[in-house]
Amino acid sequence: MRLLDVGAKMKQQFSPSATALLYDRHAAQMYRTALAVLGNTQDAEDAVQDVFISYMRTLPQFTDENHEKAWFLRSVVNRSRDLLRRRSIRSHFSLEEATDLPADTKEDVSALFEALSQLPEKYRTVLVLHALEGFSVEETANILNAGVSAVKMRLARAREKMKILLKEEI
Amino acid sequence: MSQRYADAYRSILPPDSLREKVLSTSDVPATQNNKGRIVMFRRFACLAACLAVVAAGVFVSGQKPQLQVNNEILSSVPAAASVPFAARRSMTQPVGLVLTTDSRTELSVQGGTMNIFSTDTQLLFENVTQCEVDADCIILLQPDAANNTVLQVNGRGLPAAYTLFADENGNYTLTRE
């Protein structure tokens, strides 16, 4: 009975155009984050799709756009972590089939993702959200449901490791 | 992290096929919709299976052997309580008991013998002091005149002993030990 109710709610409130709007607003960040955590394009696509399905099932109410963005990012990080645990994915980045990037950009992306794959997942995720996606430390902490000090510590360690891995000043 | 890497990272976009997949998900009628629904169904299925196992366990464990005389279930009377019956009969006459069971049940008797009949009156065991049955049966207990007669019933690991007494008036009493 409960499932039917959820279905009816979905049909009423979740139109394809609403899906498209949400997708355009959040999918790129979600996909990149999932790709950085999981290391392969197929799993990243699965993670993003699963989050949208979850959204359509539960239709959470958001107070504002930041709340909405944080929900989608948090969900995709959690889903990616689930997939990582369940499939024992060894992160190795292969972007050949997924991107139409120019050659030099592709080279940078490959180097970056190769370095990210050497980091523990908890360092990788904070670095991606803060340094690459541009979230503040507080927003990153909120997305990851972690403390601000923990995020700062992980960021510092992630930066140190990336500095060595990318052989550059970060 | 250098801007070069950040820019390269942000140039990554999801493939168009993903957009189509997500959008097609929202077109599908809710009842056929998604993996989450399957997961939910599996959870309910697991829960139902667990409940069925528990219910079966409770039901089966409730089917312990029952011994009846004169329509009274002896195994349900409190331990050490007596059930008088079959007044004015000789101690050497057989005593009829009904055993209700659906599992392997060991029967043994001391101070007498027994004949076991199926519920359709087929003789299963004749003048034995011990046997095993796995279905309802009728026990004709033949006491020795000189001894108290003790019938032991052991099914589903729940042993019970019943002692048959006769008073001076010829009344029987079965006492559950």
Side-chain angles (χ1 to χ4, degrees), chain A residues 35-96:
Chain A
L35 189 59
V37 174
L38 290 164
N40 74 72
T41 54
Q42 189 54 55
D43 290 322
E45 288 181 36
D46 285 350
V48 172
Q49 192 181 8
D50 288 349
V51 171
F52 275 96
I53 287 169
S54 171
Y55 176 81
M56 287 182 268
R57 274 183 49 221
T58 56
L59 290 176
Q61 300 297 308
F62 302 119
T63 53
D64 54 35
E65 206 166 304
N66 286 338
H67 185 200
E68 183 183 283
K69 182 183 279 191
W71 186 90
F72 276 100
L73 264 292
R74 184 188 302 127
S75 299
V76 87
V77 167
N78 289 338
R79 183 63 190 143
S80 300
R81 285 171 169 170
D82 284 348
L83 291 174
L84 208 55
R85 273 195 297 268
R86 238 180 253 177
R87 299 180 193 172
S88 300
I89 295 167
R90 169 79 175 87
S91 297
H92 66 282
F93 292 88
S94 59
L95 300 169
E96 285 78 10

Side-chain angles (χ1 to χ4, degrees), chain B residues 97-115:
Chain B
L97 303 165
V98 176
L99 178 72
T100 306
T101 184
D102 60 0
S103 60
R104 193 173 68 85
T105 303
E106 297 168 4
L107 299 171
S108 65
V109 64
Q110 294 170 333
T113 57
M114 55 190 171
N115 291 334

Side-chain angles (χ1 to χ4, degrees), chain B residues 75-87:
Chain B
S75 51
S76 67
V77 301
S82 297
V83 180
F85 69 102

Side-chain angles (χ1 to χ4, degrees), chain A residues 7 10 16 19-20 23-24 31-32 45 49-50 53 57 101 105 108-109 112-113 127-128 132-133 168 170, chain B residues 1-2 4-5 8-15 18-19 21-23 25-27 30 33-36 40:
Chain A
M10 259 178 71
T19 315
Y23 183 90
D24 292 341
Y31 176 73
R32 286 194 297 261
E45 288 181 36
Q49 192 181 8
D50 288 349
I53 287 169
R57 274 183 49 221
L101 302 173
T105 305
D108 286 343
V109 167
L112 174 67
F113 276 30
L127 194 70
V128 165
L132 297 174
E133 290 296 348
E168 66 154 23
I170 297 178
Chain B
M1 186 167 299
S2 80
R4 183 165 63 109
Y5 288 116
Y9 171 84
R10 289 188 194 122
S11 67
I12 298 171
L13 294 173
L18 179 58
R19 190 175 202 278
K21 267 196 275 185
V22 170
L23 294 185
T25 306
S26 69
D27 288 336
N33 202 347
N34 57 42
K35 298 175 188 174
M40 185 72 86

